[in-house]
């Protein structure tokens, strides 16, 4: 193992310990009875639905990453490697600015699957374009639904006002 890898692992271990210490400190300030009461009032179905959709999204993203980086008749990432890269890149993107997780994914795809950095960078770019396209489509769909609902509400209020007797 190189000195750089040792230093990186040490830094990650130190960060993990720091996060665990912060979590432990936060947990000591909580009242267990109040936490139990609050958790008793929580409806689990929305959280289960959110966790399920998150898991499905991760699996879809890892499958998409495998397909985008696949070289015809040659190198391909394994399913586990692709999922590990997506999870690690998401965690890094959550912690560091500037989409550093995408850089990590580009470099690690080459190390784990023998995929060139240019191919991985192109795949990351295409992935971002696809994400933007889906967000745009969701925005348009939501806008259309909200505008339709608002115009229906406006039309029904206009009709009810016209049926009201005049006070004159």
């Amino acid at each position: 193992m190189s000195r750089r890898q040792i230093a990186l692992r040490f830094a990650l271990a130190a960060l993990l310990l720091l996060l665990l210490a912060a979590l432990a400190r936060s947990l000591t300030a909580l009242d267990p009875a109040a936490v139990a009461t609050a958790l008793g009032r929580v409806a689990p179905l929305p959280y289960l639905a959110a966790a399920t959709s998150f898991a499905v999204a991760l699996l879809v993203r890892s499958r998409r990453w495998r397909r985008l980086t696949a070289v015809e008749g040659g190198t391909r990432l394994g399913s586990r490697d692709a999922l590990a890269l997506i999870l690690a890149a998401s965690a890094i993107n959550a912690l560091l600015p500037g989409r550093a997780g995408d850089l990590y994914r580009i470099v690690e795809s080459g190390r784990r699957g023998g995929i060139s950095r240019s191919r991985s960078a192109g795949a990351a770019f295409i992935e971002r374009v696809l994400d933007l396209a889906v967000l745009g489509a969701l925005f348009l769909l939501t806008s259309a639904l909200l505008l339709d609902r608002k115009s229906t509400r406006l039309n029904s209020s206009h009709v009810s006002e016209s049926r009201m007797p005049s006070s004159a």
Side-chain angles (χ1 to χ4, degrees):
M1 192 177 312
S2 72
R3 293 182 106 172
R4 183 177 173 199
Q5 288 174 327
I6 291 171
L8 180 61
R9 287 185 185 209
F10 180 75
L12 288 174
L15 180 63
L16 181 62
L17 285 174
L18 185 66
L19 289 172
L20 288 174
L23 179 65
R25 178 154 165 73
S26 298
L27 290 177
T28 58
L30 293 176
D31 177 23
V35 170
T37 303
L39 288 176
R41 287 184 270 171
V42 170
L45 190 59
Y47 292 101
L48 181 62
T52 303
S53 66
F54 182 71
V56 168
L58 283 174
L59 291 173
V60 167
R61 287 185 67 208
S62 69
R63 175 91 172 146
R64 181 174 67 179
W65 185 250
R66 281 188 73 211
R67 296 198 72 162
L68 286 173
T69 58
V71 177
E72 195 172 311
T75 315
R76 178 176 225 149
L77 277 171
S79 297
R80 282 187 172 188
D81 284 337
L83 183 59
L85 287 174
I86 292 297
L87 285 169
S90 296
I92 291 169
N93 280 337
L95 293 173
L96 299 175
R99 309 301 292 177
D102 288 345
L103 269 170
Y104 170 80
R105 192 167 24 146
I106 289 167
V107 171
E108 280 297 302
S109 291
R111 191 179 72 73
R112 291 183 184 203
I115 297 161
S116 72
R117 287 186 183 165
S118 61
R119 182 165 196 85
S120 294
F125 177 76
I126 290 170
E127 197 172 53
R128 290 292 151 228
V129 170
L130 289 171
D131 287 345
L132 284 173
V134 168
L135 281 174
L138 288 173
F139 173 76
L140 291 174
L141 177 67
T142 305
S143 298
L145 290 173
L146 288 176
L147 286 175
D148 184 47
R149 185 182 292 169
K150 191 174 183 179
S151 68
T152 303
R153 205 177 297 146
L154 287 174
N155 288 338
S156 65
S157 67
H158 177 69
V159 168
S160 63
E161 285 177 8
S162 65
R163 290 184 183 164
M164 294 179 74
S166 64
S167 59

